[in-house]
């Protein structure tokens, strides 16, 4: 599992990468009330805005951490965005992406490095 | 209550340490370091206030006393600055008022109470310095005293009466907009039955040295939790109440803002003391013929909030903008307020809001979004 400076986690699952936000990020955002996910089948580039999160405080954008194709999104979040607060590292995942440049994963932090960054 | 410049040094609340102990997250707001939420979180704090009771520290607001003249002089003095009737307000009663400018815009909104030999006025934090110098310049022969040695607490929600009455049983007899001096935590508190949430409740001005004891005594009552500014904002938005600097400002008139009810008959055309406040010509003309635009409630479709600044369209035509918007925890839906031309203000009117480059449907709704629970 890898972590970005934008507080996303990336978990390899077969040939896909599952993406979500960390517990730390979910806490900072506060109660999440709306999540807008990309359409399945969309091709995205690294650093492109792909998800919009609205919390009780403000709107935030989530950037695509790598190039690839969005192959699945977590539809549950449309009606139950609070899942992101309840279980950010599990059921609160955002999307699964098929990477076109898997080596881009190497740029990101290990869990220990991420914990260091937020401490 | 608009936000103050970021570079000014922040004032710490007298109850700062108590907020820290209660797990508050502090943020800069209107020149003060304010609790925006506690460990409970904004959503639960909001719902708790509507279900039980919430204690808010709003000591950043300005507390001002007008005194040093007979009651009629004080009342007529304040009437020269606001369109509300002050003369005729009974002793022990409070009213909502607006400081207006010469163009008919709103300098600030405030509460004023007749406390016998003086008027007690509560103004917004971000406006208080300007309000006080405005009152001092305009009100010759009246002393304008800023009260800086008292805190202001608000206790709101259906459980507020029981919680405060446990400390002072007489408050149960007060009705909406009554004010009284009440001994709380061994000190003389000035209590009003009012608030900024749409719920029943009290606003309590208490000497600073007694504020912590009072706050702890209230938090010890069943069902009372500390509530931050975050929930205060969503509570007042669901209740359809204006936030100064956002929903009302120097450019909006009382009638445009839907606050014509705060101009009593005596100050209107044909009234005993018609006009005589800044901007009277425009404001009283709008009382007669209606304003060109109006603040309305807006319900976005779906779950995405439309926040302040979102442009509103009728088809392709830009018609206004959102001035406040958030997710309403009690409604479990996004709610907004904004200004639209009077022709588009009917409940049910379909408009569009531009959200992240796309048009999203939004429908005009009546205010408040939730019925008020005041004890009249």
């Amino acid at each position: 599992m890898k972590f970005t400076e934008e507080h996303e986690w990336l978990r390899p699952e077969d040939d896909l990468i599952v993406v979500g936000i960390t517990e730390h990020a979910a806490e900072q955002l506060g109660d999440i009330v709306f999540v807008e996910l990309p359409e399945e089948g969309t091709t995205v580039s690294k650093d492109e805005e792909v998800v919009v999160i609205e919390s009780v405080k403000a709107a935030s954008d989530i950037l695509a951490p790598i190039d690839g194709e969005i192959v699945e999104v977590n539809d549950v979040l449309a009606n139950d965005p609070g899942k992101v607060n309840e279980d950010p590292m599990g059921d609160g995942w955002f999307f699964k992406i098929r990477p076109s440049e898997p080596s881009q994963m190497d740029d990101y932090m290990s869990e220990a490095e991420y914990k260091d960054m937020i401490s | 209550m608009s936000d103050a410049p970021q570079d000014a040094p922040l004032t710490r609340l007298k109850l700062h340490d108590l907020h820290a102990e209660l797990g508050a997250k502090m943020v800069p707001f209107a020149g003060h370091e304010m609790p925006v939420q506690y460990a409970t979180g904004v959503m639960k704090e909001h719902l708790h206030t509507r279900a039980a009771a919430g204690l808010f520290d709003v000591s950043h607001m300005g507390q001002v006393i007008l005194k040093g003249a007979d009651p009629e002089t004080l009342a007529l003095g304040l009437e020269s600055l606001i369109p509300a009737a002050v003369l005729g307000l009974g002793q022990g009663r409070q009213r909502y008022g607006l400081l207006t400018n010469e163009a008919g815009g709103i300098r600030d909104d405030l509460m004023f109470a007749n406390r016998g030999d003086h008027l007690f006025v509560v103004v917004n934090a971000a406006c208080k310095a300007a309000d006080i110098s405005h009152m001092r310049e305009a009100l010759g022969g009246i002393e304008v005293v800023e009260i800086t040695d008292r805190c202001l607490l608000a206790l709101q929600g259906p459980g507020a009466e029981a919680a405060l009455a446990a400390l002072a049983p007489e408050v149960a007899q007060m009705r909406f907009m009554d004010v009284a001096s009440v001994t709380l935590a061994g000190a003389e508190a000035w209590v009003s039955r009012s608030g900024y949430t749409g719920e029943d409740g009290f606003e309590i001005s208490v000497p600073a040295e007694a504020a912590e004891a009072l706050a702890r005594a209230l938090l010890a009552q069943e069902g009372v939790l500390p509530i931050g500014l975050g929930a205060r904002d969503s509570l007042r938005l669901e209740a359809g109440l204006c936030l100064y600097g956002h929903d009302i400002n120097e450019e909006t008139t009382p009638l445009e803002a839907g606050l014509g009810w705060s101009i009593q008959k005596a100050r209107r055309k044909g009234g005993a003391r018609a006009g005589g406040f800044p901007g009277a010509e425009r404001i009283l003309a709008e009382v007669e013929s209606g304003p060109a635009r109006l603040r309305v409630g807006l319900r976005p479709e779906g779950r995405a909030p439309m926040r302040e600044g979102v442009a509103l369209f009728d088809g392709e035509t830009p018609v206004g903008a959102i001035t406040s918007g958030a997710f309403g925890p009690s409604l479990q839906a996004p709610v907004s307020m904004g200004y639209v031309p009077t022709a588009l203000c009917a409940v049910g009117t379909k408009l569009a809001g531009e959200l992240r480059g796309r048009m999203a449907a939004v429908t005009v709704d009546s205010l408040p979004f939730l019925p008020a629970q005041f004890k009249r």
Side-chain angles (χ1 to χ4, degrees):
Chain A
M1 194 151 175
K2 293 280 195 175
F3 294 81
T4 75
E5 284 183 16
E6 309 290 326
H7 308 283
E8 291 156 278
W9 52 260
L10 295 80
R11 192 181 70 228
E13 188 181 279
D14 303 324
D15 57 342
L16 304 180
I17 307 290
V18 190
V19 179
I21 58 168
T22 65
E23 253 173 50
H24 174 78
E27 249 169 59
Q28 293 296 312
L29 288 167
D31 304 300
I32 290 162
V33 297
F34 171 74
V35 179
E36 186 177 274
L37 295 165
E39 276 180 40
E40 289 173 2
T42 316
T43 302
V44 297
S45 318
K46 187 173 184 288
D47 294 338
E48 192 181 322
E49 292 166 11
V50 280
V51 176
V52 177
I53 303 177
E54 294 264 9
S55 77
V56 288
K57 294 173 195 162
S60 330
D61 297 314
I62 299 295
L63 308 180
I66 51 175
D67 299 345
E69 183 198 346
I70 305 286
V71 293
E72 192 181 340
V73 300
N74 188 2
D75 286 325
V76 171
L77 301 183
N79 292 315
D80 191 5
K83 272 268 180 296
V84 181
N85 295 110
E86 286 161 31
D87 191 10
M89 310 289 283
D91 289 348
W93 62 278
F94 289 154
F95 57 84
K96 297 180 183 180
I97 185 169
R98 175 169 289 119
S100 48
E101 291 288 339
S103 65
Q104 287 175 332
M105 288 283 282
D106 302 340
D107 301 342
Y108 291 118
M109 289 176 275
S110 68
E111 186 165 1
E113 286 166 328
Y114 176 72
K115 281 190 170 155
D116 237 31
M117 186 190 91
I118 59 171
S119 66
Chain B
M1 291 206 299
S2 59
D3 314 45
Q6 296 292 307
D7 49 355
L10 294 176
T11 306
R12 274 201 169 177
L13 296 173
K14 296 197 170 74
L15 297 183
H16 183 90
D17 291 349
L18 176 61
H19 297 308
E21 182 188 317
L22 295 168
K25 185 184 285 184
M26 305 300 282
V27 298
F29 182 84
H32 295 255
E33 207 177 328
M34 295 296 293
V36 67
Q37 65 166 86
Y38 297 84
T40 315
V42 177
M43 184 93 83
K44 287 198 178 104
E45 288 173 26
H46 175 117
L47 295 171
H48 182 86
T49 304
R50 295 234 190 275
L55 181 67
F56 305 72
D57 185 353
V58 289
S59 304
H60 61 312
M61 299 189 77
Q63 304 183 59
V64 181
I65 279 179
L66 307 183
K67 63 172 194 176
D70 63 274
E72 186 175 333
T73 305
L74 294 177
L76 295 176
L78 187 54
E79 282 195 356
S80 72
L81 301 180
I82 70 175
V86 186
L87 196 66
L89 176 68
Q91 189 170 334
R93 293 288 292 161
Q94 177 176 266
R95 226 167 233 173
Y96 177 76
L98 302 165
L99 285 169
T100 50
N101 65 30
E102 292 299 335
I106 301 172
R107 298 177 67 114
D108 197 5
D109 64 339
L110 51 78
M111 287 286 199
F112 60 95
N114 177 353
R115 290 185 35 89
D117 63 353
H118 66 270
L119 294 171
F120 178 56
V121 183
V122 177
V123 301
N124 281 303
C127 304
K128 70 180 163 191
D131 289 351
I132 289 166
S133 57
H134 175 56
M135 288 191 273
R136 283 190 179 138
E137 271 168 39
L139 303 179
I142 292 174
E143 281 178 64
V144 179
V145 183
E146 182 181 4
I147 306 295
T148 55
D149 58 355
R150 298 180 82 93
C151 293
L152 194 64
L153 303 178
L155 182 66
Q156 301 279 296
E161 181 186 281
L164 192 60
L167 310 183
E170 65 267 38
V171 301
Q173 305 308 315
M174 297 174 72
R175 54 196 180 95
F176 183 59
M177 293 297 233
D178 276 351
V179 296
S181 287
V182 176
T183 302
L184 289 169
E188 187 193 314
W190 306 334
V191 176
S192 69
R193 192 150 200 169
S194 53
Y196 192 48
T197 58
E199 297 297 321
D200 180 27
F202 301 87
E203 293 173 296
I204 308 163
S205 170
V206 59
E209 63 274 13
E212 185 180 337
L214 175 60
R216 286 188 190 276
L218 289 170
L219 291 169
Q221 300 297 317
E222 197 186 324
V224 181
L225 281 182
I227 309 295
L229 278 187
R232 183 171 156 86
D233 191 51
S234 53
L235 287 160
R236 69 92 198 165
L237 177 58
E238 284 184 344
L241 299 168
C242 291
L243 176 60
Y244 190 80
H246 301 260
D247 307 302
I248 49 176
N249 58 42
E250 299 266 0
E251 313 296 322
T252 60
T253 69
L255 274 290
E256 288 173 339
L259 301 172
W261 55 266
S262 74
I263 309 172
Q264 283 76 21
K265 229 174 170 178
R267 309 300 310 279
R268 299 183 176 199
K269 275 182 190 158
R273 300 181 310 286
F277 52 85
E281 197 178 334
R282 172 164 182 200
I283 292 167
L284 293 186
E286 287 186 355
V287 170
E288 302 294 309
S289 49
R293 60 173 186 157
L294 205 58
R295 176 176 63 97
V296 293
L298 295 158
R299 297 287 293 259
E301 205 174 278
R303 281 185 68 98
M306 288 189 190
R307 299 180 195 269
E308 182 177 7
V310 166
L312 294 169
F313 293 83
D314 176 26
E316 302 285 298
T317 314
V319 291
I322 289 195
T323 52
S324 274
F327 191 79
S330 299
L331 293 156
Q332 279 298 302
V335 284
S336 300
M337 300 195 293
Y339 284 84
V340 298
T342 308
L344 297 173
C345 75
V347 169
T349 305
K350 304 271 182 209
L351 299 172
E354 190 179 351
L355 208 53
R356 294 179 275 274
R358 287 204 300 264
M359 290 297 182
V362 58
T363 305
V364 174
D365 198 0
S366 55
L367 292 173
F369 296 107
L370 283 179
Q373 303 296 324
F374 306 141
K375 189 188 161 188
R376 300 209 186 252

